[in-house]
Every structure is written in C-alpha cells, then in structure tokens.
C-alpha cells in the first residue's frame, strides 16, 4: 500500500471561509473584560491579539463581532488564508480628518497573510493610520509599526497573559463541559493549563468522560497533545473516523464530510464538535446558511500523527481520498480529483485522471500537480499505457523541456496515426487531440509544417460526426477543446489566416467560459488581442488584452499568454501617447522569456522597442533593433512584415534615406501589402514638389477599403497639412474631419504624430475646436498633440512634411550606404555626422562639442567608421568616403 505523506493531504474543497464569520461554540463563556478591551482598541488604528494556537483568539473575536452585528454595527471579517476581501476594503480609505471612525476590519489568522499584504498594511498604518481600524489575531508578531503606534497611543496589544482564563472564567468554562467538576478540579486544571482555553476544554471533557481529574503528564509530551489524545479516545469510533476522513481539507461542508467519510451523519457530528468547542469551528454567513467546518491546527497535527502511526487510520484516510477523487472527477474538477487520487495511492486512478483532465490542469498553471501525478506512477507505466504520452508531452512543453516535448509529440503522432480504426475509444480521441496540440505548437517554431498541422486540427474539429474511416468522433472535454482551438488560432495567425483565427478564438472563448476555466479564457483573449492589433483595431485589442489579464485574476496568466497581452497594451499606451506606460508594458514583455513564445511575439516586441527608442531620441539603437527580421523558420506573416516595413520606412525618411524608403515599398509589395506600398509611395511623391499630384495619389490610395487603418489615419493627416499649405480652407477642414473620423474609433493618436508638431495642422485643429461644430475627438486630440514632444527631431530626425515645407532649410537627403570592395556597407546617422565633422578638419574635442557627445563616443564612432570603410586612419577614411559619395559635400 502506498504510504500516506502529509504533503499529499491537500485541500479537497473549493470552498473557503472567506467572508464568513465563525459561529461561537454553544459552551461560550462571555469574557466581558476582553470585550471592553476590544471596544477600547477601536479608538486606535491597530489592535493586535498575539498568542499561540488554542488560546481562544478566534472564539473571542467571533463573539465580539456577533455582538456588534446584533446591535447593527458593521464589521468586516477577513481570514488570513483568504485575504481577497481586504483589498476591496482598503481601496477607498478615508482622509486624516474623518468625522466618524472607519468600520473595523477583523483579520483572523493574520500570520497567514501574504508578505505583500502585510507590507501594504504597514504602509497604511505609517501614512494614514486614522483611515483604518484593524483588529489582527496572529500567532506571532508581524512586521507592522506597532511600537511607533503604541508610543503615540494609537495601538493596543493583547498577548497570551491577557487571554488566559481567570479563575471565574475557567470555572464557567469547565463546568459547561463537565458539570461534575468541583472547585478543586478547576483549581487543578488552572494550575496545569495556566488558563489556556483549549487545554481547559480538553481537560474538562476528559473529566466528564472518565470521572477522574487526577491525570498526570507523561515525560516531555506537551499538555495539549496529552489532553487532545485522551479526549479523542473518548469519542465514538464513527466520530473519530469522520475526523480522520476529513481533516485533510482546509474546510468542508457537511455534504463533503459525508462524501469523504461515507457516513451520512458526518455533518451533524462536526456540528456537535463545533458546538462544544472541541477544536472544530463552524463558519456561516448567517444562522440559516450551511456552515463550513475548519479544524484547529492542533487537532490537524494530532490526526496527522495518528495516521502516520497506525495503519488502520491510514486506511481510513486512503479510502476517503479515493471517494474524494471519484467525487471530484465526476464533477469535472480534475485538480482536486488528482490531489485526492495521489493521496489514495492508486496508479490506475491517477493515470485515468491525468488522461482525462491533465491538459485542463496544465492550462490552469498547476504544472507541479501534473508532474507529481507522473512521478507517482510506477516505472514503465507510461510505456505500458501509451495514451498518456500526449499529456506528458504537454507537461514537458509547459515546463520548458523542449527536447522531451518534441520526442513525445512524435510518439503521440505515431500512435494516433497507427491506431486501429475500429473501435475508437475516448482515450484514442484524447491522444489524437494532444498530438495535434503538440504539432500546432511545433509548427509555430518551424519544427513542423504549419499548414499540415492546421489541416489536421480542422479535420479533428470538423462538424462531420465521422472521420475518414467512418468512425464516430467523440466530443472532447471543454478544456481540451478550448486549448486546441487557441493553439489552432495561434498557428493560423502565424500562417496569415486572421479571419479563421478570430473565428476559432471566439469558439474557444465560448468553450472556456462554459468550463469556467479562467486561464483559458485569458489565453483566448490574449491571442484575440494580437489578431485585433494586426488588423489595426488598437482599442479593441487593448480591451481584449486587459480583459485577458483580468480574467486570470490573482493566479495570473501563463507567460505565453501574458506576454501577448502586455505587448498589445504597450502599443495601446503608445497609441494614446502615454509613452511612460508603454515603456512599463515593454519592460514586462522583456522580462518574459520570448523563447517560450513564437516569432509573432518576438517581432511585436522588436517593433515596440524600436518605436519607444525612436520616441526617446535614440535613433541609432532603434535602427540597430530593426536591422534584421526576427528569427523565423519561414516567411514572416504579412502583417508583421507590413509593420516592420512601415517602421523602417519612417526611420529612413527621418534620416533622409530615400533609397531605404523605396526598399521598404518593395518589401510591402512583395509581402502582399500593395495598398500600403501605394499609399506611402503617394506620400513620398511630395519630395518632387508637385503637391497636386501628391494629393491626387493620396486620395486614390485612401479610397481603397483594405488599407491599414493606422497608416490611413497618418496619410489623412498628411493630406490635411498639404491642403492647409495650399490655402484651400474648405478642403482642409473636410480633410481634418476625415482624419479625426479615421483616428477616433480606435484612439489612434500616435498615427497623427507625423504631423503633430506641424504648425499648420495644430493651427487648423485649434480653429476647428473653437468653431461652431467641433468633432467630439478634436479637443482631446489637440490637447495631446500640443504636448507631444518629438524627441527624435531633437537628435537630427526630420519628418517628410518638414522636408517638404516651402520655407524649410533642410539639407538634401544624403547617402548612408555604399558599395566598397564589392560589399555593401551602411553608416548610422551619427556616424555620418562624425564623418562630416571629420571632413571639416575638426579635432576629437571639436567634434564632441559640435555633436554634444563625449570624446570617447567620438572615438567609438570613428573606430566603427574605419572598420566599415576598411581603413585605419583619418585621411584614408575621407578619401574612400568621398570616392563613394558618403560625405555631405560629395552628396551635394
């Protein structure tokens, strides 16, 4: 028989006592002196009850809270193991000069609070102590500013000595449990227990059961161990069996206790124990609601020891775990079922749950639980039961074991492909789905043909109820189906099939919501955000990305999904001209291991970083970021090629690289983005000085329905400026309204930054806002663009409109690339600046002063220049640069 390990006794219940107040026991002793102390503590921000387990903290607080509520006074109860309600309660804190005291917040088991929560409470108590009234019960001191508050008379601490029962309180408590107790008995109990609540109760129950108060302490055995052990031995065997069957759960209902123990009266037994105060506490929202029962840590520890020490007790627990596993498996709660199956030590049951629910548990992020399931199986079990190979491959993929995942993918694929057509079983379908999941994942890295993987997934998901062999196809579980649909959509996004990807993501979201699987809901939304971004639907994409993060809650999204949400939110913040927020999102993206994602994410990250570097005026770094395409096993998706080409085009125009701009037009044509290529060719025609021709070409390109919306908004604003310069007020006004109409739905302010610093555009926009019928988005656009700071323009970057301005004194475009000894080289803009200074005969110091850089930076650029030009000194560099047309004089 598998031995029961304490760490296998996990929480079986999805319920918690969060928000519920424990019911005081029926044998309650009213402790007025402590109630008065708690009432007094309400005048201060902080009251602490610090004492070991079993000293009556929870009973005292629950009685005090019950009294307050009966008198209509509000109070919030927060258990330390479920502090979720605390965040909401602290969101809206009152100011320092409040007229009324804030409602008290009682935190039981405060020693279980997360460290971040304790830190947050400490900050509140330091900065705004008058805004809160906290009563914390803890087994030990917490890192809170108690001493500082006590010196100011703003904190009260009750410790073990304060919670000890007085003789009068002890007499009432003992006689409530043992009516035959004499004054001498009570005095003996007081001497032996030092007024400890739990020990008094246990001693009284021992007296009531045995009639003997002369018990003695054995050697070094703690008093509570002795008393609790003696008291348990007096309980009915059915009650002991119920306790042994249920103590592994953090909290249980009466129904769950009956299920775990197999005893229909289990709930009533726990209720009796809670009523008598025997280290079982009942939590309930109101007197009529079904209570949750929680065992005191002392009782849990003793029961653990009994299980470890007696095989018959271990058998009771094992049977309870087996019943629990079946119960949760039938309810579809795979995680709880697997934990219970591990406790039962049944390999066949563990394997069945792994196959049926393993993908759902993995998608929920509980990798260690699935890993524990496989570790518990006997050696060679998976080889004898090969349907598990697919689940193991998914586990290996999730844990970063790429080699193992690829090997399992191949094995699962072979097994699924070679399976006997008749008969088909649910296990066969599960294996087939897992094999397809792994192939779709591999296809995004070039390890498997993406179109073959997509076709196979679509066949598996076909509406036709039979497959090529004519067999009926079993319906997949909702979690497995949702994950498969998300993976299919990811592969379709990579394969440029965005319509199909959106359709399958919608289906995945419906399926994941039906299953109530928060992480899969978040995954579907994160992938949808990327597809919406690719279509230029920036505001919709931001909504999906934020919803993805919100859906996962405190558990958080897996990295593969979270990185998609953050990169889209980065672009959305940029779209709103909130560059600081965009940088913060970028930092979250960079902190994620992109190797755990695909080329789409890597490409989007590179684009976001390049744009942010551009906005920071770091042109050289931005150019370096965009030097090469993201690593990819095949052609980039057209939308990724489009975005890279458009950004590279923008940077080429900034530095006057006409050849580079033309190259990006060719890239757009070659990758199927013809409308975008024609539009930027129309825009760049302005360099030839024929405004009418440029306007005609821009109008024709904007009339195409498939042009990328952000580029269309930018082109419309470009057209507005040209019309203003021509003096056509009516046409300029119409063009401005058209620009705002294009930018408003998706809040694409960043698309307008190409004209954001143009006086002609801002003046036209200002007059429009002051006019009789301004556009709803006009005032916000004016405010944002007026404060927009184009850092790239301060380091030598120049917009196309600035170059085309009639009075502009802009140097003509210069060459940055050339062919030297058969190899094409390209200078950075800063290297070109240094070369020009070099041609003027300036020294290192003079070059540094002219370019506002250090002499060391000058030397670094010169070394790079010499290397590119294939020379070793200044004179040779100038001679070669002039010969190939790289100096400003030779360009002119």
């Amino acid at each position: 028989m598998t031995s029961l390990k304490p760490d296998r006794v996990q929480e079986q219940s999805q319920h918690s006592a969060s928000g519920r107040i424990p019911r005081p026991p029926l044998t309650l002793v009213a402790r007025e002196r402590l109630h008065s102390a708690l009432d007094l503590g309400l005048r201060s921000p902080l009251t602490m009850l610090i004492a070991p387990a079993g000293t009556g903290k929870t009973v005292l607080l629950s009685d005090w809270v019950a009294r307050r509520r009966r008198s209509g006074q509000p109070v919030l109860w927060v258990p330390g193991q479920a502090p979720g309600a605390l965040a909401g309660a602290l969101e809206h804190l009152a100011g320092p000069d409040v007229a009324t005291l804030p409602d008290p917040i009682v935190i039981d088991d405060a020693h279980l609070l997360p460290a971040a929560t304790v830190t947050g409470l400490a900050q509140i108590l330091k900065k705004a102590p008058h805004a809160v009234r906290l009563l914390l019960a803890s087994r030990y001191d917490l890192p809170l500013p108690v001493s500082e508050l006590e010196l100011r008379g703003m904190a009260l601490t009750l410790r073990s000595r304060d919670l000890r029962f007085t003789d009068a309180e002890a007499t009432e408590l003992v006689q409530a449990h043992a009516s035959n107790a004499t004054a001498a008995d009570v005095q003996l109990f007081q001497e032996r227990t030092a007024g400890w609540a739990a020990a008094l109760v246990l001693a009284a129950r021992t007296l009531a059961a045995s009639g003997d108060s002369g018990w003695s302490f054995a050697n070094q055995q703690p008093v509570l161990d002795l008393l609790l052990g003696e008291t348990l031995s007096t309980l009915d065997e059915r009650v002991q069996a119920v306790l042994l069957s249920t103590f592994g759960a953090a909290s249980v209902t009466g129904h769950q206790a009956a299920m775990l123990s197999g005893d229909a009266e289990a709930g009533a037994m726990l209720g009796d124990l809670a009523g008598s105060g025997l280290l079982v506490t009942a939590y309930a929202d109101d007197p009529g609601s079904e209570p949750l029962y929680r065992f005191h840590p002392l009782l849990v520890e003793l029961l653990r020891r009994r299980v470890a020490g007696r095989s018959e007790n271990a058998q009771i627990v094992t049977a309870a775990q087996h019943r629990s596993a079946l119960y949760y498996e039938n309810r579809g709660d795979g995680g709880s079922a697997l934990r219970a199956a591990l406790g039962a030590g049944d390999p066949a049951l563990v394997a069945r749950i792994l196959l049926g629910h393993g993908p759902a548990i993995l998608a929920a992020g509980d990798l260690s639980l699935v890993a524990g399931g496989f570790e518990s199986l006997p050696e060679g079990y998976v080889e004898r039961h090969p349907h598990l190979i697919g689940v193991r491959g998914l586990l290996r993929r999730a844990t970063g074991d790429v080699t193992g995942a690829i090997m399992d993918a191949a094995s699962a694929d072979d097994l699924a492909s070679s399976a006997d057509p008749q008969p088909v079983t649910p296990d066969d379908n599960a294996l087939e789905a897992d094999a397809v999941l792994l192939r779709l994942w591999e296809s995004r890295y070039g390890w498997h043909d993406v179109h073959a993987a997509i076709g196979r997934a679509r066949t598996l998901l076909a509406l036709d109820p039979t497959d090529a062999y004519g067999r009926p196809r079993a319906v997949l579980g909702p979690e497995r189906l949702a994950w498969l649909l998300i993976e299919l959509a990811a592969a379709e996004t990579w394969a440029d099939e965005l319509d199909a990807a959106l359709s399958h993501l919608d289906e995945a979201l419906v399926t994941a919501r039906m299953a109530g699987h928060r992480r899969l809901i978040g995954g579907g939304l994160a992938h949808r955000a990327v597809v919406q971004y690719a279509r230029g639907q920036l505001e919709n994409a931001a909504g999906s990305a934020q919803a993805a993060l919100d859906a996962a809650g405190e558990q958080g999204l897996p990295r593969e999904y979270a990185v998609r949400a953050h990169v889209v939110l980065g672009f959305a913040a940029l779209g709103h001209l909130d560059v600081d927020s965009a940088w913060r999102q970028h930092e979250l993206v960079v902190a994620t291991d992109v190797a755990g994602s695909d080329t789409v994410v890597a490409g989007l990250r590179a684009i976001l970083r390049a744009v942010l570097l551009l906005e920071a005026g770091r042109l050289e770094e931005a150019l370096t970021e965009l030097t090469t395409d993201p690593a990819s096993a095949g052609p980039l998706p057209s939308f990724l090629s489009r975005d890279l080409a458009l950004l590279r085009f923008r940077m080429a125009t900034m530095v006057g690289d006409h050849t580079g701009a033309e190259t990006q037009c060719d890239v757009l044509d070659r990758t199927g983005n013809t409308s975008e290529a024609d539009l930027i060719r129309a825009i760049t025609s302005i360099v030839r000085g024929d405004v009418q021709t440029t306007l005609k070409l821009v109008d024709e390109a904007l009339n195409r329905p498939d042009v990328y919306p952000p580029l269309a908004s930018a082109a419309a604003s470009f057209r507005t400026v040209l019309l203003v310069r021509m003096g056509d007020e009516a046409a300029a006004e119409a063009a401005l309204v058209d620009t705002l109409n294009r930018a408003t739905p998706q809040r694409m302010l960043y698309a307008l930054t190409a004209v954001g610093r143009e006086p002609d555009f801002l003046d036209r926009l200002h007059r429009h806002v002051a006019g009789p019928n301004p556009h709803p988005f006009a005032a916000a656009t004016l405010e944002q663009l007026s404060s927009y700071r184009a850092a790239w323009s301060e380091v030598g970057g120049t917009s196309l409109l600035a170059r085309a301005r009639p009075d502009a004194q802009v140097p003509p475009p210069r060459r940055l690339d050339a062919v030297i000894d058969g190899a094409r080289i390209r200078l950075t803009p800063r290297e070109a600046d240094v070369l020009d200074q070099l041609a003027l005969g300036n020294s290192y110091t003079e070059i540094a002063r002219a370019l506002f850089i250090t002499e060391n930076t000058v030397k670094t650029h010169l070394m790079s220049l010499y290397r590119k030009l294939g020379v070793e000194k200044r004179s040779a560099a100038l001679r070669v640069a002039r010969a190939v047309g790289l100096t400003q004089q030779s360009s002119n």
Side-chain angles (χ1 to χ4, degrees):
M1 182 179 65
T2 303
S3 63
L4 181 71
K5 298 181 180 179
D7 59 359
R8 292 298 190 201
V9 185
Q10 298 286 344
E11 179 179 354
Q12 304 299 317
S13 173
Q14 288 187 331
H15 300 282
S16 74
S18 180
R20 298 169 181 249
I21 299 177
R23 293 178 177 175
L26 300 176
T27 54
L28 176 72
V29 173
R31 310 181 73 185
E32 298 299 339
R33 62 184 180 87
L34 294 176
H35 281 237
S36 298
L38 294 176
D39 291 337
L40 179 64
L42 279 187
R43 300 178 185 177
S44 303
L46 177 65
T47 301
M48 294 286 295
L49 279 71
I50 302 174
T55 50
K57 301 185 296 297
T58 298
V59 172
L60 171 64
L61 287 173
S62 64
D63 185 31
W64 181 76
V65 169
R67 289 190 181 192
R68 283 185 61 87
R69 289 199 165 183
R70 282 196 297 271
S71 63
Q73 300 177 81
V75 63
L76 175 65
W77 183 281
V78 179
Q81 58 268 51
L86 190 58
L90 298 177
E91 269 184 13
H92 306 290
L93 296 178
D97 301 321
V98 292
T100 59
L101 292 177
D103 294 337
I105 301 173
V106 174
I107 306 177
D108 193 25
D109 291 329
H111 53 276
L112 299 178
L113 289 172
T117 303
V118 176
T119 300
L121 291 176
Q123 292 175 346
I124 292 171
L125 289 169
K126 289 178 179 179
K127 296 179 180 178
H130 294 289
V132 290
R133 289 296 180 271
L134 299 174
L135 293 89
L136 279 67
S138 173
R139 294 185 198 167
Y140 47 78
D141 288 287
L142 299 175
L144 297 172
V146 179
S147 300
E148 302 115 80
L149 292 172
E150 285 179 338
L151 289 173
R152 298 161 61 189
M154 300 173 67
L156 172 67
T157 302
L158 301 177
R159 296 189 179 271
S160 298
R161 59 181 177 273
D162 304 302
L163 297 179
R164 289 172 183 165
F165 273 63
T166 65
D167 290 344
E169 292 169 341
T171 299
E172 185 178 352
L173 179 63
V174 170
Q175 292 182 345
H177 288 272
S179 58
N180 60 334
T182 66
D185 293 332
V186 175
Q187 183 62 33
L188 176 62
F189 294 164
Q190 277 286 77
E191 292 175 2
R192 298 290 180 87
T193 65
W196 202 342
L200 284 170
V201 171
L202 295 172
R205 291 185 65 87
T206 301
L207 172 64
S210 65
D212 181 15
S213 62
W215 38 265
S216 60
F217 300 104
N219 301 326
Q220 302 300 317
Q221 187 177 17
V223 61
L224 283 176
D225 275 8
L226 174 64
L227 292 174
L228 190 51
E230 291 186 0
T231 301
L232 280 180
S233 65
T234 67
L235 297 178
D236 184 87
E237 288 186 2
R238 287 178 63 195
V239 177
Q240 293 187 52
V242 167
L243 292 174
L244 288 167
S245 300
T246 56
F247 80 93
S251 56
V252 292
T253 64
H255 171 73
Q256 291 165 336
M259 175 270 297
L260 286 165
S261 64
D263 192 323
E265 301 299 322
M269 297 177 195
L270 292 180
D272 289 342
L273 294 173
S276 65
L278 188 58
L279 299 184
V280 175
T281 304
Y283 291 78
D285 291 323
D286 55 68
S289 63
E290 181 184 17
L292 288 172
Y293 298 102
R294 181 180 297 153
F295 294 176
H296 195 282
L298 294 171
L299 178 58
V300 171
E301 182 57 32
L302 183 68
L303 291 169
R304 286 183 189 275
R305 295 179 192 174
R306 291 210 162 189
V307 169
R310 299 180 185 176
S311 61
E312 60 271 24
N313 290 341
Q315 290 173 1
I316 292 174
V317 175
T318 298
Q321 296 283 14
H322 199 278
R323 282 190 293 269
S324 178
L326 296 177
Y327 172 78
Y328 286 113
E329 184 185 24
N330 289 333
R331 289 175 58 119
D333 184 353
S336 296
L338 183 53
R339 290 187 185 92
L342 289 170
D346 184 342
L349 182 57
V350 169
R352 188 175 77 211
I353 294 171
L354 281 173
L355 182 60
H357 300 278
I361 302 171
L362 288 172
D366 205 342
L367 311 185
S368 60
L369 178 58
V370 177
F374 277 100
E375 289 169 4
S376 73
L377 298 176
E379 186 176 354
Y381 193 95
V382 175
E383 286 67 28
R384 296 191 298 273
H385 300 79
H387 287 96
L388 288 169
I389 289 177
V391 179
R392 188 178 66 182
L394 294 174
L395 170 64
R396 286 174 164 175
R397 168 199 165 178
T399 55
D401 181 4
V402 174
T403 302
I406 292 175
M407 292 173 61
D408 279 345
S411 298
D413 207 25
D414 290 342
L415 286 166
S417 302
S418 62
D420 187 354
Q422 293 290 346
V424 66
T425 67
D427 290 356
D428 294 327
N429 284 280
L431 175 63
E432 170 77 5
D434 295 342
V436 172
L437 264 169
L438 289 166
R439 287 309 195 193
L440 287 167
W441 162 67
E442 289 180 300
S443 71
R444 288 189 281 129
Y445 296 87
W447 304 327
H448 190 74
D449 182 73
V450 65
H451 298 290
I454 290 172
R456 185 171 167 190
R458 289 173 178 173
T459 299
L460 181 66
L461 299 171
L463 296 177
D464 186 351
T466 60
D467 63 9
Y469 296 103
R471 334 176 263 197
R473 190 176 295 283
V475 176
L476 298 174
E479 295 91 349
R480 207 179 225 115
L481 176 59
W483 194 1
L484 181 59
L485 287 164
I486 291 172
E487 284 292 337
L488 173 58
E492 288 168 335
T493 303
W494 167 243
D496 257 329
E497 300 183 32
L498 299 185
D499 290 341
L502 273 183
S503 175
H504 287 128
L505 286 171
D506 288 342
E507 188 178 349
L509 285 168
V510 170
T511 306
R513 285 174 176 139
M514 179 179 67
H517 200 299
R518 295 169 65 102
R519 281 194 160 197
L520 285 174
I521 294 171
L525 289 167
H527 278 273
R528 187 169 74 179
V530 171
V531 178
Q532 289 169 326
Y533 165 80
R535 291 183 148 189
Q537 300 166 348
L538 190 58
E539 199 72 3
N540 295 348
S544 294
Q546 189 58 57
L549 298 173
D550 293 342
E554 294 181 1
Q555 187 182 26
L557 280 177
R559 292 181 307 171
E560 180 181 356
Y561 298 154
V563 69
R564 284 169 163 77
H566 288 303
V567 77
V568 168
L569 288 174
F571 282 114
L574 197 59
H576 297 165
L577 296 184
D578 186 354
V579 178
D580 290 339
S581 294
W583 270 113
R584 286 193 292 271
Q585 295 294 336
H586 170 262
E587 289 166 2
L588 292 172
V589 174
V590 172
T592 305
D593 182 10
V594 179
S597 191
D598 55 26
T599 305
V600 170
V601 174
L604 293 177
R605 185 188 75 163
I607 293 170
L608 177 61
R609 176 169 176 77
V611 175
L612 289 171
L613 290 171
L614 185 68
E615 289 304 307
R618 295 154 63 180
L619 295 186
E620 293 181 34
E621 293 178 66
L623 283 167
T624 301
E625 188 72 37
L626 295 175
T627 300
T628 58
D629 286 342
S632 171
L636 293 177
S638 65
F639 70 86
L640 203 54
S641 296
R642 175 201 66 205
D643 290 358
L644 285 166
L646 290 176
L647 183 53
R648 288 165 176 163
F649 165 80
R650 184 183 179 196
M651 298 191 72
T653 60
M654 280 185 181
V655 298
D657 183 6
H658 183 69
T659 302
E662 283 294 330
T663 298
Q664 299 311 315
C665 291
D666 295 338
V667 170
L668 288 169
D669 278 331
R670 191 169 60 251
T671 55
N673 297 288
T674 306
S675 295
E676 288 73 25
D678 290 344
L679 185 51
I680 64 172
R681 284 194 179 102
I683 291 171
T684 54
S685 69
I686 191 65
V687 298
R688 292 188 288 273
D690 187 348
V691 178
Q692 291 288 3
T693 299
T694 297
L695 285 171
K696 179 182 177 181
L697 293 173
V698 169
D699 286 340
E700 290 175 353
L702 282 175
N703 284 331
R704 297 187 183 181
D706 60 340
V707 69
Y708 184 46
L711 178 61
S713 297
S717 66
F718 183 89
R719 176 177 59 184
T720 301
V721 173
L722 294 184
L723 289 168
V724 170
R725 289 179 181 177
M726 291 179 63
D728 191 337
E729 289 293 317
E733 177 69 9
L736 175 62
V737 172
D738 177 63
T739 300
L740 294 172
N741 285 339
R742 292 175 184 272
T744 297
Q746 298 298 328
R747 298 297 188 268
M748 294 183 291
L749 279 173
Y750 188 73
L752 308 185
T753 57
V755 300
R757 302 304 297 172
E758 286 294 316
D760 294 330
F761 186 82
L762 292 177
D763 180 64
R764 176 72 265 170
L765 184 57
H766 187 274
R767 282 184 286 152
H768 173 81
V769 169
N773 187 30
H775 190 281
F777 195 45
T781 302
L782 178 61
E783 179 181 358
Q784 292 289 332
L785 290 180
S786 296
S787 58
Y788 170 69
R789 175 179 172 271
W792 47 264
S793 66
E794 298 175 6
V795 292
T798 308
S799 71
L800 196 59
L801 278 170
R803 293 180 186 279
R805 194 179 300 145
D807 58 345
Q809 298 296 320
V810 180
R814 61 165 302 159
R815 289 182 57 188
L816 294 174
D817 58 347
V819 176
I820 299 176
D821 295 331
R824 179 167 291 279
I825 63 103
R826 179 177 181 80
L827 305 184
T828 68
R830 182 57 82 188
E831 287 169 352
D833 292 339
V834 171
L835 181 62
D836 291 340
Q837 292 293 321
L838 205 65
L840 295 174
N842 290 336
S843 65
Y844 291 162
T845 302
E846 291 169 332
I847 295 175
R849 188 181 302 116
L851 299 180
F852 301 98
I853 56 179
T854 66
E855 289 190 41
N856 284 335
T857 303
V858 171
K859 294 175 183 178
T860 299
H861 286 309
L862 282 174
M863 289 176 63
S864 178
L865 265 173
Y866 293 165
R867 177 179 53 79
K868 290 180 179 181
L869 296 174
V871 299
E872 296 181 356
K873 55 184 180 179
R874 173 193 294 241
S875 58
L878 289 173
R879 184 176 64 255
V880 172
R882 289 190 181 108
V884 296
L886 285 177
T887 60
Q888 191 65 35
Q889 295 93 328
S890 58
S891 297
N892 294 340

